[in-house]
């Protein structure tokens, strides 16, 4: 959640149109330079290399898919745009403004034979308050209302907007926007302390994410709960960089990596503290916004190549997350 003393570069719920347009003008992707390793928090699920394939690293049907009846008959997906969005040419309906896609990981996981009926309560821009008590769209009730005593599987992607995802992206790309500064801002100096405190407050013991877990436990005490970490936007290796990572500057690139790792560590710690697990797919091939179009799990810019909102997962990235969840359950 943004605090009053923080400079506001972009809204925490959605990125501005000018930011997306500016990014789309300057971005190109460089070929993958080599293999990478991905640092993971304890409890994450590592998937094998996909190489140049666009197929799934682990079948979403998996061993669970061999069951004659679903192991999880009542599945509810909660969360923000990293859970809601995917290929924007395949809208899933849902509340207007939430941007749900049939290519998001809840819908791809729902194709698993082990998973029964899906209730997709995810919504782009969601914060913890949108799960618990409030909603940013009149047509979208608090997400927790989708749960009941029969719910036996819950996936959760939340917290990124509470700690200012849009503001972080807005800072590192501020000089790429019309009327922005001439040079990159030192975003570690500008935002680092506030973001670190927000992560501690939102994901720490007794924080908003713990409140979400408590609400899930109250509504669906027998449910298996899996938290999804956030797919990294930046390449793990400088060798896999591209024009975008050059333009934002080495210091902002490194800070963005550190913030992503800190958020994902916090996601994992909160899940474990509440008796659950978190997952994060990984690959020894670059899957960042710098990767070739047909290998990206995330994108930097809007555009028709991946049909994906700027700074969000592609359909392939959502498929990787669905596979990681399937492997975990």
């Amino acid at each position: 959640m943004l605090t009053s003393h923080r400079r506001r570069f972009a809204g925490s719920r959605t990125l501005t149109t000018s930011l997306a347009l500016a990014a789309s003008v300057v971005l190109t992707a460089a070929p993958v330079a080599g293999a990478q390793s991905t640092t993971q928090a304890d409890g994450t699920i590592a998937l094998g290399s996909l190489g140049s394939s666009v197929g799934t690293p682990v079948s979403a049907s998996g061993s669970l898919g061999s069951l004659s009846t679903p192991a999880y008959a009542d599945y509810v997906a909660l969360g923000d745009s990293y859970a809601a969005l995917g290929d924007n040419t395949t809208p899933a309906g849902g509340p207007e403004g939430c941007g749900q896609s049939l290519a998001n990981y809840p819908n791809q996981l729902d194709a698993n034979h082990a998973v029964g009926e899906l209730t997709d309560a995810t919504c782009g821009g969601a914060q913890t308050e949108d799960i618990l008590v409030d909603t940013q769209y009149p047509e979208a009730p608090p997400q927790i209302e989708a749960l009941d005593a029969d719910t036996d599987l819950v996936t959760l992607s939340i917290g990124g907007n509470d700690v200012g995802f849009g503001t972080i992206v807005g800072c590192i790309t501020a000089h790429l926007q019309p009327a922005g500064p001439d040079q990159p801002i030192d975003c570690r100096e500008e935002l680092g302390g506030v973001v670190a405190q927000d992560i501690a407050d939102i994901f720490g013991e007794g924080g908003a994410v713990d409140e979400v877990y408590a609400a899930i436990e109250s509504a669906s005490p027998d449910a298996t709960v899996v938290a999804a970490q956030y797919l990294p936007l930046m390449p793990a290796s400088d060798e896999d960089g591209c024009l975008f990572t050059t333009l934002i500057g080495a210091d902002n690139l490194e800070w963005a990596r550190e913030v992503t790792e800190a958020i994902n560590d916090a996601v994992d710690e909160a899940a474990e503290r509440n008796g659950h697990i978190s997952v994060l797919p990984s690959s020894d091939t670059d899957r960042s916004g710098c990767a070739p179009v047909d290998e990206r799990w995330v994108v930097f810019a809007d555009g028709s190549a991946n049909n994906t909102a700027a700074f969000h997962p592609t359909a392939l990235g959502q498929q990787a997350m669905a596979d990681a969840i399937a492997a975990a359950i």
Side-chain angles (χ1 to χ4, degrees):
M1 185 176 298
L2 302 182
T3 54
S4 59
H5 63 281
R6 183 184 302 180
R7 180 184 297 177
R8 191 177 286 271
F9 297 99
S12 64
R13 292 183 175 234
T14 56
L15 297 174
T16 64
T17 301
S18 62
L19 171 58
L21 290 175
S24 66
V25 169
V26 298
L27 302 184
T28 59
V32 176
Q36 72 178 41
S37 60
T38 302
T39 303
Q40 300 175 83
D42 291 343
T44 61
I45 303 297
L47 303 182
S49 170
L50 294 180
S52 60
S53 170
V54 297
T56 58
V58 177
S59 171
S61 61
S63 60
L64 296 177
S66 64
L67 299 175
S68 59
T69 59
Y72 301 97
D74 189 345
Y75 166 36
V76 176
L78 307 176
D80 51 27
S81 56
Y82 263 57
L85 277 57
D87 186 331
N88 56 29
T89 66
T90 57
E96 184 177 357
C98 286
Q100 292 178 359
S101 169
L102 290 174
N104 65 20
Y105 75 72
N107 275 283
Q108 297 202 51
L109 182 62
D110 188 46
N112 189 312
H113 296 166
V115 178
E117 182 178 357
L118 164 66
T119 300
D120 187 354
T122 62
C123 192
Q127 298 180 3
T128 49
E129 65 184 17
D130 298 296
I131 291 181
L132 296 171
V133 296
D134 199 4
T135 176
Q136 72 269 45
Y137 300 113
E139 299 86 356
Q143 294 183 26
I144 199 70
E145 294 182 5
L147 302 177
D148 59 32
D150 293 329
T151 303
D152 49 19
L153 176 63
V154 177
T155 56
L156 176 67
S157 172
I158 204 66
N161 291 320
D162 295 76
V163 303
F165 172 79
T167 300
I168 294 165
V169 172
C171 181
I172 66 175
T173 61
H175 62 295
L176 305 178
Q177 300 183 50
D182 294 333
Q183 299 295 324
I185 296 170
D186 185 340
C187 295
R188 184 193 303 275
E189 179 178 345
E190 184 74 27
L191 299 176
V194 176
V195 171
Q197 187 61 56
D198 284 350
I199 293 171
D201 291 344
I202 295 297
F203 290 99
E205 188 168 359
V209 171
D210 273 6
E211 293 178 17
V212 170
Y213 280 118
I216 294 171
E217 172 67 21
S218 178
S220 305
D222 297 324
T224 294
V225 182
V226 182
Q229 297 184 34
Y230 289 91
L231 292 171
L233 290 164
M234 306 300 168
S237 169
D238 290 344
E239 294 179 354
D240 291 327
C242 57
L243 179 59
F244 178 80
T245 56
T246 299
L247 289 174
I248 66 173
D251 290 342
N252 282 338
L253 173 60
E254 184 58 32
W255 182 67
R257 288 170 176 154
E258 292 174 7
V259 168
T260 302
E261 184 174 359
I263 292 173
N264 281 341
D265 284 348
V267 169
D268 186 63
E269 290 165 7
E272 183 177 355
R273 182 171 63 246
N274 286 277
H276 308 299
I277 61 171
S278 75
V279 299
L280 179 66
S282 66
S283 171
D284 59 6
T285 299
D286 180 43
R287 300 293 174 183
S288 74
C290 286
V293 170
D294 63 350
E295 298 181 14
R296 293 175 189 156
W297 283 354
V298 292
V299 298
F300 294 133
D302 282 325
S304 60
N306 292 105
N307 300 317
T308 301
F311 304 101
H312 280 84
T314 64
L316 186 63
Q318 295 284 27
Q319 186 177 51
M321 183 62 75
D323 292 343
I325 295 168
I329 61 177

mmCIF file with all atom_site columns, all heavy atoms in Angstrom, residues 226-241:
data_model
loop_
_atom_site.group_PDB
_atom_site.id
_atom_site.type_symbol
_atom_site.label_atom_id
_atom_site.label_alt_id
_atom_site.label_comp_id
_atom_site.label_asym_id
_atom_site.label_entity_id
_atom_site.label_seq_id
_atom_site.pdbx_PDB_ins_code
_atom_site.Cartn_x
_atom_site.Cartn_y
_atom_site.Cartn_z
_atom_site.occupancy
_atom_site.B_iso_or_equiv
_atom_site.pdbx_formal_charge
_atom_site.auth_seq_id
_atom_site.auth_comp_id
_atom_site.auth_asym_id
_atom_site.auth_atom_id
_atom_site.pdbx_PDB_model_num
ATOM 1   N N   . VAL A 1 226 ? -2.673 -22.927 -1.981  1.00 0.00 ? 226 VAL A N   1
ATOM 2   C CA  . VAL A 1 226 ? -1.377 -22.769 -2.642  1.00 0.00 ? 226 VAL A CA  1
ATOM 3   C C   . VAL A 1 226 ? -1.211 -21.303 -3.031  1.00 0.00 ? 226 VAL A C   1
ATOM 4   O O   . VAL A 1 226 ? -2.044 -20.744 -3.745  1.00 0.00 ? 226 VAL A O   1
ATOM 5   C CB  . VAL A 1 226 ? -1.261 -23.650 -3.895  1.00 0.00 ? 226 VAL A CB  1
ATOM 6   C CG1 . VAL A 1 226 ? 0.120  -23.487 -4.530  1.00 0.00 ? 226 VAL A CG1 1
ATOM 7   C CG2 . VAL A 1 226 ? -1.524 -25.115 -3.560  1.00 0.00 ? 226 VAL A CG2 1
ATOM 8   N N   . ALA A 1 227 ? -0.127 -20.702 -2.570  1.00 0.00 ? 227 ALA A N   1
ATOM 9   C CA  . ALA A 1 227 ? 0.176  -19.317 -2.934  1.00 0.00 ? 227 ALA A CA  1
ATOM 10  C C   . ALA A 1 227 ? 1.086  -19.298 -4.149  1.00 0.00 ? 227 ALA A C   1
ATOM 11  O O   . ALA A 1 227 ? 2.040  -20.082 -4.253  1.00 0.00 ? 227 ALA A O   1
ATOM 12  C CB  . ALA A 1 227 ? 0.854  -18.597 -1.773  1.00 0.00 ? 227 ALA A CB  1
ATOM 13  N N   . ALA A 1 228 ? 0.791  -18.401 -5.076  1.00 0.00 ? 228 ALA A N   1
ATOM 14  C CA  . ALA A 1 228 ? 1.624  -18.233 -6.266  1.00 0.00 ? 228 ALA A CA  1
ATOM 15  C C   . ALA A 1 228 ? 2.568  -17.056 -6.052  1.00 0.00 ? 228 ALA A C   1
ATOM 16  O O   . ALA A 1 228 ? 2.138  -15.953 -5.730  1.00 0.00 ? 228 ALA A O   1
ATOM 17  C CB  . ALA A 1 228 ? 0.749  -17.979 -7.489  1.00 0.00 ? 228 ALA A CB  1
ATOM 18  N N   . GLN A 1 229 ? 3.849  -17.313 -6.205  1.00 0.00 ? 229 GLN A N   1
ATOM 19  C CA  . GLN A 1 229 ? 4.817  -16.230 -6.192  1.00 0.00 ? 229 GLN A CA  1
ATOM 20  C C   . GLN A 1 229 ? 4.738  -15.466 -7.519  1.00 0.00 ? 229 GLN A C   1
ATOM 21  O O   . GLN A 1 229 ? 4.028  -15.870 -8.441  1.00 0.00 ? 229 GLN A O   1
ATOM 22  C CB  . GLN A 1 229 ? 6.223  -16.775 -5.939  1.00 0.00 ? 229 GLN A CB  1
ATOM 23  C CG  . GLN A 1 229 ? 6.374  -17.449 -4.577  1.00 0.00 ? 229 GLN A CG  1
ATOM 24  C CD  . GLN A 1 229 ? 7.789  -17.908 -4.297  1.00 0.00 ? 229 GLN A CD  1
ATOM 25  O OE1 . GLN A 1 229 ? 8.758  -17.284 -4.715  1.00 0.00 ? 229 GLN A OE1 1
ATOM 26  N NE2 . GLN A 1 229 ? 7.928  -19.028 -3.595  1.00 0.00 ? 229 GLN A NE2 1
ATOM 27  N N   . TYR A 1 230 ? 5.473  -14.380 -7.619  1.00 0.00 ? 230 TYR A N   1
ATOM 28  C CA  . TYR A 1 230 ? 5.399  -13.513 -8.789  1.00 0.00 ? 230 TYR A CA  1
ATOM 29  C C   . TYR A 1 230 ? 6.514  -13.850 -9.780  1.00 0.00 ? 230 TYR A C   1
ATOM 30  O O   . TYR A 1 230 ? 7.699  -13.820 -9.424  1.00 0.00 ? 230 TYR A O   1
ATOM 31  C CB  . TYR A 1 230 ? 5.501  -12.044 -8.359  1.00 0.00 ? 230 TYR A CB  1
ATOM 32  C CG  . TYR A 1 230 ? 4.259  -11.574 -7.628  1.00 0.00 ? 230 TYR A CG  1
ATOM 33  C CD1 . TYR A 1 230 ? 4.165  -11.665 -6.242  1.00 0.00 ? 230 TYR A CD1 1
ATOM 34  C CD2 . TYR A 1 230 ? 3.163  -11.061 -8.325  1.00 0.00 ? 230 TYR A CD2 1
ATOM 35  C CE1 . TYR A 1 230 ? 3.027  -11.253 -5.566  1.00 0.00 ? 230 TYR A CE1 1
ATOM 36  C CE2 . TYR A 1 230 ? 2.022  -10.642 -7.666  1.00 0.00 ? 230 TYR A CE2 1
ATOM 37  C CZ  . TYR A 1 230 ? 1.955  -10.738 -6.282  1.00 0.00 ? 230 TYR A CZ  1
ATOM 38  O OH  . TYR A 1 230 ? 0.821  -10.329 -5.626  1.00 0.00 ? 230 TYR A OH  1
ATOM 39  N N   . LEU A 1 231 ? 6.117  -14.171 -11.024 1.00 0.00 ? 231 LEU A N   1
ATOM 40  C CA  . LEU A 1 231 ? 7.098  -14.479 -12.060 1.00 0.00 ? 231 LEU A CA  1
ATOM 41  C C   . LEU A 1 231 ? 8.004  -13.270 -12.267 1.00 0.00 ? 231 LEU A C   1
ATOM 42  O O   . LEU A 1 231 ? 7.528  -12.168 -12.517 1.00 0.00 ? 231 LEU A O   1
ATOM 43  C CB  . LEU A 1 231 ? 6.399  -14.825 -13.369 1.00 0.00 ? 231 LEU A CB  1
ATOM 44  C CG  . LEU A 1 231 ? 5.610  -16.137 -13.398 1.00 0.00 ? 231 LEU A CG  1
ATOM 45  C CD1 . LEU A 1 231 ? 4.796  -16.228 -14.681 1.00 0.00 ? 231 LEU A CD1 1
ATOM 46  C CD2 . LEU A 1 231 ? 6.544  -17.329 -13.263 1.00 0.00 ? 231 LEU A CD2 1
ATOM 47  N N   . PRO A 1 232 ? 9.316  -13.439 -12.188 1.00 0.00 ? 232 PRO A N   1
ATOM 48  C CA  . PRO A 1 232 ? 10.236 -12.305 -12.332 1.00 0.00 ? 232 PRO A CA  1
ATOM 49  C C   . PRO A 1 232 ? 10.177 -11.696 -13.726 1.00 0.00 ? 232 PRO A C   1
ATOM 50  O O   . PRO A 1 232 ? 10.164 -12.407 -14.736 1.00 0.00 ? 232 PRO A O   1
ATOM 51  C CB  . PRO A 1 232 ? 11.615 -12.926 -12.066 1.00 0.00 ? 232 PRO A CB  1
ATOM 52  C CG  . PRO A 1 232 ? 11.335 -14.155 -11.255 1.00 0.00 ? 232 PRO A CG  1
ATOM 53  C CD  . PRO A 1 232 ? 10.025 -14.671 -11.784 1.00 0.00 ? 232 PRO A CD  1
ATOM 54  N N   . LEU A 1 233 ? 10.155 -10.378 -13.771 1.00 0.00 ? 233 LEU A N   1
ATOM 55  C CA  . LEU A 1 233 ? 10.180 -9.667  -15.050 1.00 0.00 ? 233 LEU A CA  1
ATOM 56  C C   . LEU A 1 233 ? 11.581 -9.596  -15.631 1.00 0.00 ? 233 LEU A C   1
ATOM 57  O O   . LEU A 1 233 ? 11.754 -9.613  -16.856 1.00 0.00 ? 233 LEU A O   1
ATOM 58  C CB  . LEU A 1 233 ? 9.643  -8.247  -14.862 1.00 0.00 ? 233 LEU A CB  1
ATOM 59  C CG  . LEU A 1 233 ? 8.152  -8.102  -14.584 1.00 0.00 ? 233 LEU A CG  1
ATOM 60  C CD1 . LEU A 1 233 ? 7.848  -6.712  -14.032 1.00 0.00 ? 233 LEU A CD1 1
ATOM 61  C CD2 . LEU A 1 233 ? 7.350  -8.348  -15.854 1.00 0.00 ? 233 LEU A CD2 1
ATOM 62  N N   . MET A 1 234 ? 12.579 -9.475  -14.769 1.00 0.00 ? 234 MET A N   1
ATOM 63  C CA  . MET A 1 234 ? 13.949 -9.233  -15.221 1.00 0.00 ? 234 MET A CA  1
ATOM 64  C C   . MET A 1 234 ? 14.720 -10.533 -15.404 1.00 0.00 ? 234 MET A C   1
ATOM 65  O O   . MET A 1 234 ? 14.512 -11.494 -14.655 1.00 0.00 ? 234 MET A O   1
ATOM 66  C CB  . MET A 1 234 ? 14.694 -8.351  -14.217 1.00 0.00 ? 234 MET A CB  1
ATOM 67  C CG  . MET A 1 234 ? 13.991 -7.052  -13.887 1.00 0.00 ? 234 MET A CG  1
ATOM 68  S SD  . MET A 1 234 ? 13.751 -6.019  -15.356 1.00 0.00 ? 234 MET A SD  1
ATOM 69  C CE  . MET A 1 234 ? 12.617 -4.786  -14.703 1.00 0.00 ? 234 MET A CE  1
ATOM 70  N N   . PRO A 1 235 ? 15.627 -10.583 -16.383 1.00 0.00 ? 235 PRO A N   1
ATOM 71  C CA  . PRO A 1 235 ? 16.469 -11.770 -16.530 1.00 0.00 ? 235 PRO A CA  1
ATOM 72  C C   . PRO A 1 235 ? 17.383 -11.923 -15.323 1.00 0.00 ? 235 PRO A C   1
ATOM 73  O O   . PRO A 1 235 ? 17.831 -10.931 -14.734 1.00 0.00 ? 235 PRO A O   1
ATOM 74  C CB  . PRO A 1 235 ? 17.270 -11.478 -17.807 1.00 0.00 ? 235 PRO A CB  1
ATOM 75  C CG  . PRO A 1 235 ? 17.283 -9.989  -17.912 1.00 0.00 ? 235 PRO A CG  1
ATOM 76  C CD  . PRO A 1 235 ? 15.973 -9.526  -17.364 1.00 0.00 ? 235 PRO A CD  1
ATOM 77  N N   . ALA A 1 236 ? 17.658 -13.166 -14.946 1.00 0.00 ? 236 ALA A N   1
ATOM 78  C CA  . ALA A 1 236 ? 18.522 -13.413 -13.793 1.00 0.00 ? 236 ALA A CA  1
ATOM 79  C C   . ALA A 1 236 ? 19.972 -13.089 -14.090 1.00 0.00 ? 236 ALA A C   1
ATOM 80  O O   . ALA A 1 236 ? 20.742 -12.774 -13.188 1.00 0.00 ? 236 ALA A O   1
ATOM 81  C CB  . ALA A 1 236 ? 18.384 -14.872 -13.345 1.00 0.00 ? 236 ALA A CB  1
ATOM 82  N N   . SER A 1 237 ? 20.345 -13.157 -15.366 1.00 0.00 ? 237 SER A N   1
ATOM 83  C CA  . SER A 1 237 ? 21.725 -12.922 -15.776 1.00 0.00 ? 237 SER A CA  1
ATOM 84  C C   . SER A 1 237 ? 21.815 -11.691 -16.661 1.00 0.00 ? 237 SER A C   1
ATOM 85  O O   . SER A 1 237 ? 20.965 -11.474 -17.529 1.00 0.00 ? 237 SER A O   1
ATOM 86  C CB  . SER A 1 237 ? 22.259 -14.144 -16.532 1.00 0.00 ? 237 SER A CB  1
ATOM 87  O OG  . SER A 1 237 ? 23.487 -13.845 -17.155 1.00 0.00 ? 237 SER A OG  1
ATOM 88  N N   . ASP A 1 238 ? 22.863 -10.898 -16.462 1.00 0.00 ? 238 ASP A N   1
ATOM 89  C CA  . ASP A 1 238 ? 23.092 -9.750  -17.338 1.00 0.00 ? 238 ASP A CA  1
ATOM 90  C C   . ASP A 1 238 ? 23.315 -10.188 -18.781 1.00 0.00 ? 238 ASP A C   1
ATOM 91  O O   . ASP A 1 238 ? 23.038 -9.433  -19.719 1.00 0.00 ? 238 ASP A O   1
ATOM 92  C CB  . ASP A 1 238 ? 24.300 -8.941  -16.856 1.00 0.00 ? 238 ASP A CB  1
ATOM 93  C CG  . ASP A 1 238 ? 24.027 -8.216  -15.550 1.00 0.00 ? 238 ASP A CG  1
ATOM 94  O OD1 . ASP A 1 238 ? 22.845 -8.076  -15.178 1.00 0.00 ? 238 ASP A OD1 1
ATOM 95  O OD2 . ASP A 1 238 ? 24.998 -7.784  -14.898 1.00 0.00 ? 238 ASP A OD2 1
ATOM 96  N N   . GLU A 1 239 ? 23.804 -11.406 -18.964 1.00 0.00 ? 239 GLU A N   1
ATOM 97  C CA  . GLU A 1 239 ? 24.048 -11.921 -20.313 1.00 0.00 ? 239 GLU A CA  1
ATOM 98  C C   . GLU A 1 239 ? 22.745 -12.091 -21.100 1.00 0.00 ? 239 GLU A C   1
ATOM 99  O O   . GLU A 1 239 ? 22.764 -12.132 -22.327 1.00 0.00 ? 239 GLU A O   1
ATOM 100 C CB  . GLU A 1 239 ? 24.786 -13.256 -20.243 1.00 0.00 ? 239 GLU A CB  1
ATOM 101 C CG  . GLU A 1 239 ? 26.199 -13.142 -19.671 1.00 0.00 ? 239 GLU A CG  1
ATOM 102 C CD  . GLU A 1 239 ? 26.885 -14.488 -19.594 1.00 0.00 ? 239 GLU A CD  1
ATOM 103 O OE1 . GLU A 1 239 ? 26.206 -15.505 -19.880 1.00 0.00 ? 239 GLU A OE1 1
ATOM 104 O OE2 . GLU A 1 239 ? 28.076 -14.534 -19.257 1.00 0.00 ? 239 GLU A OE2 1
ATOM 105 N N   . ASP A 1 240 ? 21.629 -12.196 -20.382 1.00 0.00 ? 240 ASP A N   1
ATOM 106 C CA  . ASP A 1 240 ? 20.333 -12.361 -21.035 1.00 0.00 ? 240 ASP A CA  1
ATOM 107 C C   . ASP A 1 240 ? 19.585 -11.041 -21.170 1.00 0.00 ? 240 ASP A C   1
ATOM 108 O O   . ASP A 1 240 ? 18.383 -11.028 -21.430 1.00 0.00 ? 240 ASP A O   1
ATOM 109 C CB  . ASP A 1 240 ? 19.470 -13.352 -20.243 1.00 0.00 ? 240 ASP A CB  1
ATOM 110 C CG  . ASP A 1 240 ? 20.009 -14.765 -20.323 1.00 0.00 ? 240 ASP A CG  1
ATOM 111 O OD1 . ASP A 1 240 ? 20.580 -15.115 -21.366 1.00 0.00 ? 240 ASP A OD1 1
ATOM 112 O OD2 . ASP A 1 240 ? 19.871 -15.515 -19.336 1.00 0.00 ? 240 ASP A OD2 1
ATOM 113 N N   . GLY A 1 241 ? 20.293 -9.941  -21.000 1.00 0.00 ? 241 GLY A N   1
ATOM 114 C CA  . GLY A 1 241 ? 19.655 -8.639  -21.053 1.00 0.00 ? 241 GLY A CA  1
ATOM 115 C C   . GLY A 1 241 ? 19.243 -8.235  -22.457 1.00 0.00 ? 241 GLY A C   1
ATOM 116 O O   . GLY A 1 241 ? 19.521 -8.907  -23.449 1.00 0.00 ? 241 GLY A O   1
#
